[in-house]
């Protein structure tokens, strides 16, 4: 098979110029530019409000602090400063797209109001955010006037002739007079947006330093939160595993006990055989559960071994379809179809793991499709991705369940009712495996009509012969 060399072309001078012009003018249609302008235009009135409230509040509070009213005024001022800081943080995030850590981290214990106040006053962020609010006045003075000085004339240049055009209509003698101030207007607006965006970015970084907890504090908190989540998921895992073990072990125990009864009480030979079969089936289920749990433990410890290489998709899909046909045909009376996969489609995957995932999806599709239904396998190429789809005409999955089916131990009510035999681990393992191969596993469904699962993998170049 031939492999196509990627075409490399040098862009022409016109293309380079067009690209530069596009990059220069793109600020005109970027919402961010207009949001930054709003931030700048409101900076002065906001800065002035903070300054007046905080300075007046603390001065009046300090002077009258010998009486209770003074203490109250000081407390209200502290609360106002905190509210202003919260508001400013949100404003910088929404209008300047600043990445700001939280203003404070949640407390581990329940505190009295007095303890809360003491902690609040001891936090460096409290004082940093206060400084920010006070600095906002001089910054606002500069920023609001900068925005007015830069945007005002440009907008005037654009809007005035536009107004003339709208009121008198496009007449040839007025067209020139309309376009002439319009061009510098648009240029001025573009330059103004570039300047405002640049200053906005710098101010956003300053806001991030002043209005959020320090990066180290945030990291420590995140690590603690992750450890707590891991601990909780370990506890849930133990609960789920114990719960899942209980039924099969009780079944095995009851059946074995009945076989060990004294000879006269023992069941007939047929019944003995049936009970032994049930015991064998339950033991197999338990051993599958242990395999699944080991696999998940490896995934959690980042030890899930997948060795990806270029894999031709069509033969692998064929092989899975062939191995699942007996289950579909004889046991479930479901038709298993397979589209002719596009020849020469190669994906980056671990062939054994991919076959395992595909087998799991096809087995689910067959199990959740009533007699007479159809399960079909598709292969498609989408850009540099390869998709393998498993679609069925089965019972489908309700939207509420669809959001959870990839979670560990999750089974829908209909699957519990059918006692499908699974533990709700198959799809979570399948997703871990596909993601370890650099791909994604997604599902869509229409309740009552069927479901489709898509494995999406990176396309690979076929190996050179
Ligand atoms: P199980 O081993 O219990 O089937 P899975 O993790 O493979 O566990 O699937 C989780 C749940 O998703 C199943 O219990 C079932 O309710 C639902 N499910 C999976 N595949 C399908 C399908 N093709 N059609 C309908 N429901 C499905």
């Amino acid at each position: 098979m031939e492999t196509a060399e990627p075409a490399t072309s040098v862009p022409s001078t016109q293309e380079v110029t067009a690209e530069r012009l596009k990059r220069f003018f793109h600020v005109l249609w970027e919402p961010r530019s207009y949001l930054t302008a709003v931030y700048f235009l409101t900076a002065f009135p906001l800065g002035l409000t903070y300054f007046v409230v905080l300075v007046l509040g603390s001065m009046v509070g300090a002077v009258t602090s010998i009486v209770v009213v003074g203490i109250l005024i000081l407390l209200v001022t502290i609360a106002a400063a905190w509210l202003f800081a919260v508001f400013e943080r949100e404003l910088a995030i929404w209008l300047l797209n600043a990445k700001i850590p939280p203003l404070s981290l949640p407390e581990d214990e329940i505190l009295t109001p007095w303890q809360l106040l003491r902690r609040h006053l001891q936090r460096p962020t409290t004082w940093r955010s206060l400084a920010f609010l006070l600095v906002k006045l001089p910054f606002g003075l500069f920023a609001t006037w900068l925005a007015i000085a830069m945007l005002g004339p440009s907008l005037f240049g654009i809007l005035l002739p536009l107004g003339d055009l709208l009121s008198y209509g496009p007449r040839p003698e007025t067209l020139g007079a309309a376009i002439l101030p319009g061009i510098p207007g648009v240029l001025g607006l573009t330059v103004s947006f570039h300047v405002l965006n640049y200053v906005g970015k710098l101010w956003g970084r300053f806001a991030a330093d002043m209005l959020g907890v320090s990066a180290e504090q945030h990291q420590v908190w995140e690590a603690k939160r992750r450890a707590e989540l891991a601990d909780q998921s370990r506890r849930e895992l133990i609960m789920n595993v114990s719960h899942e073990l209980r039924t099969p072990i009780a079944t095995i125990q009851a059946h074995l006990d009945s076989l060990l009864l004294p000879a006269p009480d023992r069941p007939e030979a047929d019944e003995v055989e049936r009970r032994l079969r049930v015991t064998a089936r339950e033991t197999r289920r338990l051993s599958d559960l242990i395999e699944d749990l080991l696999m998940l433990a490896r995934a959690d410890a980042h030890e899930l071994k997948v060795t990806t290489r270029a894999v031709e998709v069509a033969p692998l899909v064929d092989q899975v379809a062939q191995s699942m046909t007996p289950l579909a045909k004889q046991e479930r009376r479901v038709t298993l179809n397979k589209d002719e996969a596009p020849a020469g489609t190669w994906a980056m995957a671990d062939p054994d793991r991919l076959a395992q995932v595909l087998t799991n999806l096809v087995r689910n599709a067959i199990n959740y499709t009533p007699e007479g239904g159809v399960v079909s396998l598709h292969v498609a190429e989408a850009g540099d991705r390869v998709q393998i789809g498993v679609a069925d005409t089965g019972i489908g999955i309700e939207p509420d369940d669809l959001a959870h089916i990839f979670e560990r131990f999750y089974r829908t009510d209909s699957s519990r009712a059918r006692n499908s035999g699974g533990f709700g681990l198959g799809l979570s393992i399948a997703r871990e495996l596909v993601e370890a191969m650099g791909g994604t596993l997604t599902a869509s469904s229409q309740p009552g009509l069927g479901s489709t699962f898509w494995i999406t993998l990176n396309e690979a170049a076929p190996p050179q012969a």
Side-chain angles (χ1 to χ4, degrees):
M1 161 167 296
E2 278 181 58
T3 47
E5 277 290 309
T8 49
S9 61
V10 181
S12 66
T13 328
Q14 282 105 317
E15 279 171 338
V16 172
T17 317
E19 185 52 40
R20 282 200 186 138
L21 280 176
K22 208 171 111 196
R23 245 187 283 154
F24 177 65
F25 283 110
H26 81 285
V27 283
L28 285 178
W29 51 87
E30 254 188 14
R32 182 84 22 233
S33 308
Y34 297 89
L35 295 175
T36 306
V38 171
Y39 187 89
F40 276 55
L41 290 170
T42 54
F44 177 61
L46 284 174
L48 189 63
T49 314
Y50 304 148
F51 191 83
V52 171
V53 173
L54 298 179
V55 172
L56 264 185
S58 36
M59 272 169 42
V60 175
V63 171
T64 53
S65 59
I66 359 156
V67 280
V68 181
V69 181
I71 308 275
L72 276 180
I73 292 176
L74 276 179
L75 286 177
V76 170
T77 312
I78 291 171
W82 185 247
L83 285 180
F84 290 155
V86 172
F87 175 68
E88 272 299 316
R89 181 176 170 274
E90 292 299 320
L91 212 60
I93 292 173
W94 286 106
L95 299 181
L96 300 180
N97 201 18
K99 309 264 175 300
I100 312 183
L103 256 170
S104 67
L105 302 173
E107 300 289 351
D108 292 334
E109 42 194 335
I110 299 170
L111 300 175
T112 60
W114 172 239
Q115 283 171 321
L116 264 176
L117 180 69
R118 259 192 33 209
R119 290 249 172 124
H120 179 65
L121 293 179
Q122 280 166 355
R123 262 189 229 124
T125 340
T126 306
W127 301 103
R128 270 192 274 129
S129 60
L130 188 66
F132 178 88
L133 293 174
L134 296 177
V135 172
K136 177 104 185 203
L137 178 61
F139 171 76
L141 197 66
F142 159 75
T144 303
W145 291 118
L146 179 76
I148 293 174
M150 294 202 82
L151 297 175
S154 316
L155 285 175
F156 191 69
I158 297 169
L159 294 179
L160 191 72
L162 207 68
D164 282 354
L165 269 181
L166 287 178
S167 28
Y168 305 119
R171 282 177 301 162
E173 63 273 23
T174 55
L175 215 59
I179 291 172
L180 272 185
I183 294 172
V186 171
L187 276 176
L189 194 65
T190 314
V191 172
S192 312
F193 277 151
H194 275 293
V195 172
L196 295 188
N197 282 350
Y198 181 70
V199 180
K201 210 157 117 187
L202 294 182
W203 182 253
R205 277 193 211 145
F206 176 64
D209 287 340
M210 302 296 278
L211 293 177
V213 292
S214 70
E216 298 91 77
Q217 253 181 307
H218 194 233
Q219 272 166 10
V220 170
W221 179 73
E222 273 288 333
K224 207 170 134 202
R225 203 176 58 91
R226 269 201 299 273
E228 274 168 12
L229 280 180
D231 199 41
Q232 186 188 344
S233 92
R234 235 189 324 272
R235 260 179 280 142
E236 275 173 15
L237 182 75
I238 293 174
M239 291 249 297
N240 280 322
V241 172
S242 323
H243 181 78
E244 297 295 348
L245 286 176
R246 199 185 283 156
T247 318
I249 286 186
T251 312
I252 293 171
Q253 197 174 10
H255 282 55
L256 288 180
D257 283 348
S258 73
L259 301 182
L260 290 173
L261 285 173
D265 299 331
R266 232 176 265 167
E268 299 288 313
D270 295 4
E271 183 58 19
V272 168
E273 187 176 333
R274 194 191 67 78
R275 290 188 189 188
L276 281 174
R277 277 187 199 291
V278 172
T279 311
R281 190 192 65 212
E282 291 300 311
T283 322
R284 259 195 306 277
R285 279 186 70 217
L286 286 180
S287 111
D288 288 349
L289 173 64
I290 289 165
E291 280 305 313
D292 285 355
L293 287 172
L294 278 174
M295 178 94 79
L296 286 172
R298 267 184 234 125
D300 287 348
H302 305 288
E303 284 170 6
L304 202 56
K305 294 261 181 308
V306 292
T307 324
T308 52
R309 61 177 172 82
V311 175
E312 192 170 11
V313 179
L316 190 136
V317 173
D318 274 351
Q319 176 204 323
V320 171
Q322 262 177 29
S323 69
M324 297 305 284
T325 303
L327 172 77
K329 246 199 207 149
Q330 281 132 34
E331 287 186 38
R332 312 272 318 159
R333 298 191 203 292
V334 165
T335 311
L336 184 56
N337 280 340
K338 186 180 58 67
D339 280 0
E340 206 46 59
T345 305
W346 292 71
M348 280 310 285
D350 179 322
D352 295 335
R353 302 299 204 187
L354 182 56
Q356 178 187 343
V357 171
L358 208 51
T359 306
N360 196 335
L361 296 182
V362 175
R363 187 180 300 117
N364 273 353
I366 296 172
N367 279 340
Y368 295 107
T369 300
E371 233 175 70
V374 180
V375 171
S376 26
L377 283 157
H378 313 269
V379 178
E381 281 177 280
D384 55 357
R385 311 282 271 168
V386 176
Q387 293 192 306
I388 309 174
V390 180
D392 63 60
T393 58
I395 57 171
I397 306 166
E398 294 292 334
D400 282 354
D401 289 319
L402 198 58
H404 300 285
I405 52 169
F406 292 101
E407 288 169 14
R408 295 175 185 187
F409 292 104
Y410 192 84
R411 273 184 290 168
T412 61
D413 287 343
S414 53
S415 129
R416 283 174 199 280
R418 286 163 153 245
N419 194 11
S420 62
F423 290 101
L425 290 177
L427 287 179
S428 59
I429 293 179
R431 186 172 258 184
E432 296 272 5
L433 287 172
V434 175
E435 285 178 357
M437 291 182 232
T440 56
L441 175 61
T442 50
S444 61
S445 183
Q446 278 190 293
L449 293 179
S451 316
T452 305
F453 286 78
W454 285 105
I455 304 173
T456 306
L457 296 165
N458 290 321
E459 197 179 31
Q464 299 290 332

